[in-house]
Amino acid sequence: MPESSKNQTKIQLTFLGTGTSQGIPVIGSKHPVCLSADPRDKRLRVSVWIQIDDLSVVIDCGPDFRQQMLQSGCTVMDALLFTHEHADHTAGLDDIRPFCFAQGPIPIYGQERVLQNLAERFDYIFKEENKYPGAPSIQANTIRKNTQFKIKGHLINPIEVWHGNVPIFGFRIGNVAYLTDVKSIDLDQLTQLIGVDILVVNALREEEHHSHFTLQEALDFTKRVGAKQTFFTHISHHLGFHAEVSDYLPSGVHLAYDGLVISCDYVPLNTDF
């Protein structure tokens, strides 16, 4: 192996959760996928852990956050990025406390609307005066469309997508893009995804949905982006069994599952992107 290849920095993604808002199995459901014995059909609420050298960031912290951290072995979180404010992506915010106690205030990043929503729902975390000593400590950072930001020297590009009629963010970090809860995307944002090696995007089910890609819509989007490898996430039990759906996906397209770890050589963004 050439020396340059040996020394190439890697970007690693750990899928902490790949399920839709109810998770799989759904409480009380007798649907065959909910009764499946295949561990790949057991899906916590959607989230991902991304590592590059000494950088460790998590995107979204839903109701299963504590369980996901324990299962993944993540012990350091340099930043927490939010795609949007819905509960299946944010309800675990209180469980960042162990990271705060070990590291100090945790930087969180989200668009202004999202941070305002979190400040209303988790006022005891955001308040500065007379704060309860055991509450999590955060550093809130507002991020904006078409404005890159940097964490530990790594540029991150927020990509605006439409979750129904709600504008939310996905993120491009180097040559990897993570998008969830997408129903549509404007052309100027789509062009910012061209050239990614790994694309992660939602594929809810086969039937039409008002705010999420169907499987066919996700496949069509995959072709438009042209990533080397694509992984589907935010999956409903209505999509079907992991093993069966995987059998008919095109080459280079995969269903993600909880605990899946993938990596590729890391190609950083530059400021002229």
Side-chain angles (χ1 to χ4, degrees):
M1 180 182 297
E3 190 66 27
S4 59
S5 178
K6 288 182 180 179
N7 297 330
Q8 175 68 48
T9 298
K10 297 285 186 178
I11 180 169
Q12 177 174 291
L13 285 72
T14 302
F15 288 90
L16 303 172
T18 56
T20 187
S21 58
Q22 297 183 88
I24 305 174
V26 176
I27 295 172
S29 175
K30 302 300 182 183
H31 189 282
V33 173
C34 291
L35 301 177
S36 170
D38 186 341
R40 297 172 300 177
D41 288 323
K42 313 293 186 187
R43 301 183 185 276
L44 301 175
R45 266 62 73 92
V46 68
S47 179
V48 70
W49 173 26
I50 299 178
Q51 297 168 273
I52 310 166
D53 287 337
D54 64 340
L55 177 66
S56 173
V57 301
V58 173
I59 301 178
D60 288 337
C61 63
D64 305 312
F65 179 76
R66 175 180 175 274
Q67 181 180 352
Q68 291 166 337
M69 292 295 95
L70 291 171
Q71 289 178 347
S72 68
C74 178
T75 58
V76 174
M77 185 168 62
D78 296 310
L80 175 59
L81 313 183
F82 287 108
T83 59
H84 62 297
E85 64 269 42
H86 290 169
D88 54 320
H89 298 260
T90 60
L93 184 58
D94 185 78
D95 282 328
I96 69 171
R97 282 183 293 160
F99 293 101
C100 301
F101 299 156
Q103 301 172 212
I106 300 299
I108 67 172
Y109 293 79
Q111 54 185 305
E112 184 175 6
R113 182 196 77 237
V114 173
L115 295 178
Q116 288 176 347
N117 178 278
L118 293 175
E120 294 171 2
R121 292 162 52 205
F122 298 93
D123 61 307
Y124 65 97
I125 294 177
F126 283 75
K127 71 186 301 184
E128 297 181 0
E129 296 182 1
N130 300 317
K131 185 170 182 175
Y132 180 68
S137 298
I138 53 99
Q139 296 172 343
N141 299 274
T142 301
I143 54 178
R144 298 173 177 84
K145 177 183 175 182
N146 296 330
T147 303
Q148 294 178 341
F149 59 99
K150 190 177 289 188
I151 302 176
K152 296 184 77 170
H154 296 280
L155 281 172
I156 300 175
N157 194 35
I159 306 292
E160 185 184 76
V161 299
W162 290 92
H163 182 28
N165 61 358
V166 179
I168 69 173
F169 281 158
F171 299 97
R172 177 171 178 169
I173 305 177
N175 50 329
V176 171
Y178 180 87
L179 310 174
T180 186
D181 291 48
V182 185
K183 183 59 178 181
S184 62
I185 185 171
D186 295 335
L187 182 60
D188 67 310
Q189 299 299 293
L190 176 66
T191 59
Q192 296 183 50
L193 295 170
I194 303 305
V196 296
D197 290 321
I198 292 178
L199 170 68
V200 180
V201 69
N202 57 292
L204 186 70
R205 63 192 193 192
E206 292 190 358
E207 298 81 10
E208 177 65 21
H209 191 274
H210 70 280
S211 63
H212 288 276
F213 275 159
T214 64
L215 177 60
Q216 187 58 56
E217 288 170 338
L219 288 168
D220 293 342
F221 180 74
T222 296
K223 291 180 181 178
R224 296 175 72 191
V225 174
K228 294 178 180 178
Q229 299 287 327
T230 297
F231 294 83
F232 290 156
T233 191
H234 207 293
I235 294 164
S236 163
H237 58 292
H238 294 295
L239 185 61
F241 294 103
H242 184 284
E244 293 182 1
V245 176
S246 296
D247 278 347
Y248 61 76
L249 291 178
S251 177
V253 180
H254 319 272
L255 288 189
Y257 56 87
D258 292 16
L260 173 65
V261 179
I262 60 174
S263 65
C264 69
D265 289 342
Y266 174 56
V267 181
L269 291 173
N270 60 62
T271 54
D272 297 324
F273 179 79

